[in-house]
Amino acid sequence: LESELDIWDGEREQAGVLARMGQVLLERLDAPAKAQRRFEQALKLDAECYPALVALFDLVYERGERGRALQLAERLVRRMSSEGAPDRRSRFYLRRGSLLRDEGDLSRAADSLVVALELSPANIEALDALIELCRRAPDVFDFAATFRRLEQLYRSAGNTTAVAHVLIAAATLAELAGDADTALELYRQAREQAPEDFEPLNAHVQLLIALRRYQEAITELRAHAEAPLAAANRASDASERQRRPEAGAQRRTRESAPEAPSSPSAPKRNRIAALLRLGEIFSEVLQRPQEAVDAYEAVLSIDMRHREGVFRLAQELYGLGRPQQARQLIEQLLDPELHPDLPKSERASYEHY
């Protein structure tokens, strides 16, 4: 590519080569700083170099430079309306929407998130961002009509997860209108659509807490945290029954019996999410720190390196007058062998604590 760069005289062509060099550095050599320099060189030669703009936008967005990312997004928005794969463009409009939201430009943020969903209706992250924006500012956009249209689309496509999230949106609007009974019913329907998805449960629990129905919220979270274990036990029992040899066919039965399935990552994540929410309720709402400790210890029994679980447990132990145990947990978080990819912002937070 460096040889090709010397061949071209035109700035536009040179910018294209520099953008490709940056992509190689980023994707093949994992050298983001060098890649960024190439992208910036490309844009000095051609301010409209599309590949360089897209790559640089993603780089600065993922690094948390939100002000600069928004500037790049505004330069890209016209071309993103028609150029590139729909999924890629949908991700761009989702990110632009989050940037506009953080800037307080809520109406344009909603517009951007709706475009993200028009380009890729299966972009659940964009749907959730639109729902959260609806909670924050229900009057900046016609959310109800958008959610109704999306629900029809998702039902016709058989996308039960997306239907569940749209039902969360409808429940959110009912909550905002002061109709708690309708909201609770819609959350129930959402959970039926996607029983393994944590988001419908989390929204349901949030309303139960607002209604001061604490024991119901705790029961629902515990049931969700224990459901994957119950399913695994049922599968194990079924597998064991199939292993039992029938008379005259012991070897054949033993060879054909299926193994119990291992616990997949999604139920594991959902169990952890439910336990973290449970610990949060015990700690912040009910002021029952020992039960919060129990919830966070349950998280670590699933994943001993779960950083949020470790940090929350340290905080609870410190509050219970057990500073040495809390300090040991914080030192684990700062151990580069245990957490080699710890972001600088998190490290600073732990060191301060």
Side-chain angles (χ1 to χ4, degrees), residues 261-272:
S262 59
S263 179
S265 60
K268 178 178 174 180
R269 288 196 303 272
N270 288 340
R271 287 182 62 205
I272 288 174

Side-chain angles (χ1 to χ4, degrees), residues 87-105:
D87 287 351
R88 175 70 189 80
R89 291 155 59 201
S90 179
R91 186 180 71 171
F92 165 78
Y93 278 101
L94 165 61
R95 291 182 165 187
R96 177 174 175 265
S98 74
L99 293 168
L100 290 167
R101 178 199 62 209
D102 292 349
E103 286 289 307
D105 195 342

Side-chain angles (χ1 to χ4, degrees), residues 61-80:
Y61 180 91
E62 290 163 10
R63 200 159 51 219
E65 298 177 22
R66 302 184 74 78
R68 189 177 183 198
L70 183 54
Q71 292 174 356
L72 290 166
E74 295 307 281
R75 290 170 62 182
L76 272 168
V77 66
R78 180 180 58 80
R79 296 183 65 178
M80 273 290 184

Side-chain angles (χ1 to χ4, degrees), residues 31-210:
K34 292 181 179 179
Q36 180 171 339
R37 285 196 292 272
R38 294 299 189 184
F39 296 139
E40 289 172 342
Q41 289 170 357
L43 292 171
K44 285 181 180 179
L45 293 172
D46 178 9
E48 299 300 317
C49 181
Y50 182 69
L53 275 172
V54 171
L56 187 58
F57 168 76
D58 284 336
L59 266 178
V60 299
Y61 180 91
E62 290 163 10
R63 200 159 51 219
E65 298 177 22
R66 302 184 74 78
R68 189 177 183 198
L70 183 54
Q71 292 174 356
L72 290 166
E74 295 307 281
R75 290 170 62 182
L76 272 168
V77 66
R78 180 180 58 80
R79 296 183 65 178
M80 273 290 184
S81 65
S82 59
E83 296 184 35
D87 287 351
R88 175 70 189 80
R89 291 155 59 201
S90 179
R91 186 180 71 171
F92 165 78
Y93 278 101
L94 165 61
R95 291 182 165 187
R96 177 174 175 265
S98 74
L99 293 168
L100 290 167
R101 178 199 62 209
D102 292 349
E103 286 289 307
D105 195 342
L106 303 184
S107 179
R108 291 178 67 216
D111 282 331
S112 192
L113 293 170
V114 168
V115 172
L117 287 165
E118 289 172 347
L119 288 165
S120 178
N123 188 342
I124 300 298
E125 190 177 352
L127 178 57
D128 288 342
L130 191 64
I131 294 169
E132 184 57 36
L133 187 58
C134 174
R135 286 184 181 276
R136 177 175 168 180
D139 298 326
V140 302
F141 192 79
D142 187 357
F143 290 104
T146 299
F147 292 141
R148 283 195 299 270
R149 188 171 69 251
L150 287 168
E151 182 179 357
Q152 292 175 351
L153 176 65
Y154 293 140
R155 287 189 184 278
S156 65
N159 188 337
T160 56
T161 298
V163 169
H165 286 241
V166 172
L167 288 170
I168 294 173
T172 297
L173 292 170
E175 275 192 69
L176 294 169
D179 189 350
D181 289 339
T182 297
L184 287 169
E185 172 59 21
L186 289 166
Y187 286 136
R188 184 192 65 76
Q189 293 176 24
R191 292 178 62 187
E192 286 181 351
Q193 289 287 327
E196 293 186 355
D197 191 339
F198 179 67
E199 289 307 315
L201 170 63
N202 192 37
H204 185 193
V205 164
Q206 188 171 329
L207 178 55
L208 289 173
I209 294 297

Side-chain angles (χ1 to χ4, degrees), residues 310-340:
V310 172
F311 188 50
R312 288 194 191 185
L313 178 58
Q315 290 175 307
E316 293 299 328
L317 291 172
Y318 185 83
L320 286 169
R322 295 152 69 179
Q324 288 302 113
Q325 289 176 269
R327 180 172 180 174
Q328 289 173 359
L329 290 169
I330 296 298
E331 288 174 349
Q332 289 177 24
L333 288 171
L334 294 170
D335 187 335
E337 292 186 3
L338 292 175
H339 303 283

